[in-house]
């Protein structure tokens, strides 16, 4: 019995020890679990931090490995129109327009070989809908999953390019304006001189001249008139616009403009404008706009046709339309109509519409041109009533 009791006590002790040991182990495991959990959380956090950084970066981020796209961030999906599923695994050159492939590819290959190439440069990519997007890339070699890869940060520079172009255009315009002003001034005096001399010859030799000489003098006169027109256009185009407004009706302005123009018999002009409402504008300058537009319409109908002029009230303003049945304008020219010196005419100066636009802009109005080749042209001018 004593022996049995001893065994029992021993067993009890053993069980107790075991229990303590188990508890210790349990505690240890729990601690370990906690640690693992914490570490995992930290890892997830930091991974999240990095991926948000990359995902929400305002620049495109792409990783190229072995010539293929292996990472593509969200901003790039927005920029290119492709989802990452569509492009990951594809050769990166697929994203480039033909003109850029050689440059980008050779830089990539050299960079991966450790050769010195510019890391930052401008190029373009081809978006899913076929647009060419100007970009600035900044590339660096990194270790990605144990293998070298090219990490490329891509910035959309469309806006910057647009601004650069705008600035260039503004500078060009200013230069043209200056040139126009000085040429205009310099030509005005000699032209007046030629006019005076022609007048003198006509008076002095009126009776003695034969027909051929008279025709020659007439030719000089006509060409002086034409040159004067160019000079006036140049001066008009280059001078600052000051408006002297008064209340006028469109109809009276159109009537006055037509009265002093020579309209060929083959061209029918139908004035459907209304007397009301009156608008508050610079009548003299606005008549020059109408004259230019009517002249363009007439010149577009060398074999005759019809020009309809209408006016219509639109909210806060008046819309005046000039609708001709002329030759029309090819689509590739539509964008350039208002560019100074753009003309398709042998004797054109190409300042008519540029001047129209300046005058209409000064009135706070708009001018729009729609056209179908071989059918005709619609010019719409809107001007605020006040
Ligand atoms: P210009 O009359 O001296 O050529 P404009 O600035 O008035 O200069 O017009 C520029 C160009 O726009 C013209 O040469 C012509 O090709 C085109 N254009 C303007 N108005 C019309 C129109 N109503 N129909 C057809 N083409 C037009
Ligand atoms: Mg013209």
């Amino acid at each position: 019995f004593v022996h049995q009791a001893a065994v029992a006590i021993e067993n009890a002790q053993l069980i107790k020890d075991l229990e303590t040991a188990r508890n210790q182990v349990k505690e240890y495991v729990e601690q370990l679990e906690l640690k693992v959990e914490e570490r995992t959380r930290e890892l997830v956090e930091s991974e999240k931090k990095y991926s948000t950084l990359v995902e929400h970066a305002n620049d495109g981020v792409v990783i190229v490995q072995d010539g293929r796209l292996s990472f593509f961030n969200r901003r790039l999906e927005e920029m290119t129109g492709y989802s990452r599923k569509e492009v990951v695994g594809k050769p990166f050159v697929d994203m480039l327009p033909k003109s850029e492939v050689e440059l980008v590819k050779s830089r990539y290959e050299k960079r991966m070989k450790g050769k010195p190439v510019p890391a930052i440069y401008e190029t373009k990519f081809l978006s899913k809908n076929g647009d060419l997007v100007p970009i600035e890339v900044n590339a660096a070699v990194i270790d990605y999953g144990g293998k070298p890869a090219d990490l490329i940060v891509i910035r959309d520079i469309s806006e910057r390019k647009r601004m650069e172009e705008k600035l260039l255009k503004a500078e060009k315009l200013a230069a043209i304006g200056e040139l126009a002003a000085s040429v205009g001034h310099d030509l005005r005096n000699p032209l007046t001189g030629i006019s005076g001399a022609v007048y003198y010859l006509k008076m002095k030799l009126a009776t003695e001249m034969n027909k051929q000489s008279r025709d020659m003098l007439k030719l000089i006169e006509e060409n002086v008139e034409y040159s004067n027109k160019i000079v006036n256009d140049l001066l008009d185009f280059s001078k600052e616009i000051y408006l002297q407004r008064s209340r006028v009706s469109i109809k009276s302005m159109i009537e006055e403009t037509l009265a002093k123009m020579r309209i060929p018999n083959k061209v029918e002009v139908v004035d459907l404008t209304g007397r009301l409402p009156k608008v508050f504008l610079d009548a003299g300058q606005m008549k020059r706009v109408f004259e230019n537009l009517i002249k363009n319409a007439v010149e577009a109908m060398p074999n005759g046709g019809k020009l309809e002029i209408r006016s219509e009230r639109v909210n806060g303003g008046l819309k005046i339309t000039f609708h001709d049945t002329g030759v029309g304008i090819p689509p590739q020219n539509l964008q350039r109509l208002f560019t100074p010196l753009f003309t398709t005419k042998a004797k054109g100066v190409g300042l008519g519409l540029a001047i129209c636009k300046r005058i209409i802009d000064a009135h706070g109005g708009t001018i729009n041109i729609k056209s179908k080749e071989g059918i005709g042209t619609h010019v719409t001018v809107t001007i605020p009533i006040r």
Side-chain angles (χ1 to χ4, degrees), residues 296 299 345 352:
N296 278 345
E299 285 166 354
K345 299 169 192 168

Side-chain angles (χ1 to χ4, degrees), residues 272-305:
L272 298 167
T273 55
R275 298 217 168 267
L276 287 172
K278 292 205 167 179
V279 273
F280 194 63
L281 45 74
D282 187 316
Q285 304 211 46
M286 203 47 85
K287 279 196 270 185
R288 303 231 26 216
V289 170
F290 297 156
E291 187 182 343
N292 278 331
L293 297 179
I294 294 169
K295 209 159 172 199
N296 278 345
V298 168
E299 285 166 354
M301 302 187 283
N303 303 317

Side-chain angles (χ1 to χ4, degrees), residues 103-118:
L103 172 84
V104 182
K105 202 172 159 213
S106 81
R107 289 209 169 155
Y108 164 77
E109 282 163 358
K110 283 187 187 151
R111 192 176 314 111
M112 296 312 286
K113 283 182 197 151
K115 288 187 185 159
V117 277

Side-chain angles (χ1 to χ4, degrees), residues 15 17 26 45 52 67 90 101 114 140 165 168 173 182 196 247 249 252 271 277 333 344 353:
I15 288 171
D17 283 353
K26 206 169 145 200
E45 273 306 300
T52 3
K90 298 263 166 66
V101 170
E165 249 162 56
L168 214 68
L173 271 182
S182 69
R247 276 175 66 78
S249 92
S252 62
D271 174 11
N333 286 353
T344 57
L353 288 176

